[in-house]
């Protein structure tokens, strides 16, 4: 406990940094994931092609490489943001590809007749997708999306190598103060466990609530 209590402010600062990074990146990933999933099932070939390229590239690119591309590549084109913003872009875009595919699998579970009925009522593709198909598809993919956001929280540790304040990076200043590196990492692991368990609880509650309303 001495390692934790003596360095509480360092741990807390890193813990809050990871929470903020996870929350903002998750919001971006969910928004992009829904959008790209819509592209993937769109009747417009150009949108389907864009969605396919987006998913293929991001799912097959290592996250660390994507961080290098964002942090070092974008400034060469005159695009400059704080490191936190770059980290959010890398994490959010990367995770959005996986969320897109999870949602697309959920969309495929919705009976085709539901979409046809909506179109027969005069609904556009966008209305059919947002009002009829996605609400049903979302119920089927609550657990997979929760798992993806848990992975996002753990992946945020990479951001520490790019000057972003987060939980894993707290080991450096604490180690420099001469504290046990083993117990330093034990308390870091506890911090990540708290975050991932919180996400798990939220999505378990959400899954139960949606299951009741089916």
């Amino acid at each position: 406990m001495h390692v934790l209590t003596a360095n509480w402010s360092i741990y807390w600062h890193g813990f809050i940094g990871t929470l903020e990074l996870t929350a903002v990146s998750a919001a971006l990933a969910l928004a992009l994931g829904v959008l790209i999933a819509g592209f993937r099932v769109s009747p417009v070939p150009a949108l389907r092609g864009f969605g396919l390229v987006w998913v293929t590239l991001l799912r097959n690119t290592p996250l660390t490489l994507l961080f290098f591309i964002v942090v070092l590549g974008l400034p060469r084109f005159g695009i400059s943001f704080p490191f936190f913003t770059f980290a959010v872009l890398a994490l959010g875009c990367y995770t959005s590809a996986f969320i897109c595919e999870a949602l697309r699998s959920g969309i495929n579970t919705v009976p085709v007749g539901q979409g046809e009925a909506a179109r027969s009522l005069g609904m556009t593709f966008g209305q059919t997708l947002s009002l009829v198909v996605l609400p049903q598809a979302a119920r089927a993919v609550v657990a997979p999306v929760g798992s993806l956001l848990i992975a996002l929280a753990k992946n945020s540790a990479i951001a520490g190598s790019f000057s972003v304040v987060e939980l894993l990076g707290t080991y450096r200043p604490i180690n420099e103060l001469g504290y046990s590196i083993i117990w330093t990492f034990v308390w870091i692991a506890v911090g990540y466990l708290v975050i991932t368990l919180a996400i798990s609880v939220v999505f378990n509650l959400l899954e139960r609530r949606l299951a009741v309303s089916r």
Side-chain angles (χ1 to χ4, degrees), residues 3 5 22 26-27 36 38 50 58 78 85-86 89 119 123 127 133 154 157 170 179 181 184-185 189 191 212:
V3 174
T5 56
T22 300
I36 301 301
F50 179 86
L58 291 176
T85 304
F86 280 135
L89 287 174
R119 286 192 294 272
M123 288 186 176
Q127 291 173 327
V133 178
K154 293 184 288 186
T170 59
Y179 290 95
I181 191 66
T184 299
F185 280 116
V212 170

Side-chain angles (χ1 to χ4, degrees), residues 2-201:
H2 178 64
V3 174
L4 177 64
T5 56
N7 301 283
W8 176 254
S9 61
I10 297 176
Y11 274 117
W12 180 250
H13 195 43
F15 182 80
I16 294 300
T18 293
L19 275 181
E20 292 177 346
L21 186 58
T22 300
V24 179
S25 299
L28 177 61
L30 288 170
L32 286 176
V34 171
L35 180 64
I36 301 301
F39 286 178
R40 293 277 276 145
V41 297
S42 170
V44 181
L47 293 180
R48 290 202 306 272
F50 179 86
L52 177 62
V53 170
W54 179 277
V55 169
T56 302
L57 287 179
L58 291 176
R59 288 183 71 190
N60 294 286
T61 300
L63 181 55
T64 304
L65 177 59
L66 186 59
F67 263 92
F68 277 112
I69 292 172
V70 171
V71 175
L72 302 180
L74 291 183
R76 292 180 177 271
F77 296 95
I79 303 174
S80 182
F81 295 117
F83 284 114
F84 180 86
T85 304
F86 280 135
V88 167
L89 287 174
L91 285 167
C93 291
Y94 178 79
T95 308
S96 72
F98 295 90
I99 289 178
C100 165
E101 289 302 276
L103 282 174
R104 192 167 70 92
S105 68
I107 291 172
N108 290 334
T109 65
V110 178
V112 177
Q114 301 253 350
E116 293 175 346
R119 286 192 294 272
S120 69
L121 293 174
M123 288 186 176
T124 64
F125 171 76
Q127 291 173 327
T128 301
L129 186 65
S130 61
L131 299 177
V132 178
V133 178
L134 277 181
Q136 298 180 69
R139 293 174 180 172
V141 298
V142 170
V145 170
S147 297
L148 290 172
L149 295 186
I150 288 173
L152 186 154
K154 293 184 288 186
N155 287 339
S156 67
I158 298 176
S161 301
F162 295 88
S163 303
V164 177
V165 176
E166 49 78 42
L167 188 56
L168 182 60
T170 59
Y171 85 90
R172 296 189 189 92
I174 295 175
N175 188 45
E176 290 173 358
L177 293 173
Y179 290 95
S180 170
I181 191 66
I182 295 177
W183 284 105
T184 299
F185 280 116
V186 166
W187 288 114
I188 288 174
V190 170
Y192 279 107
L193 184 62
V194 170
I195 294 173
T196 55
L197 284 178
I199 296 173
S200 179
V201 168

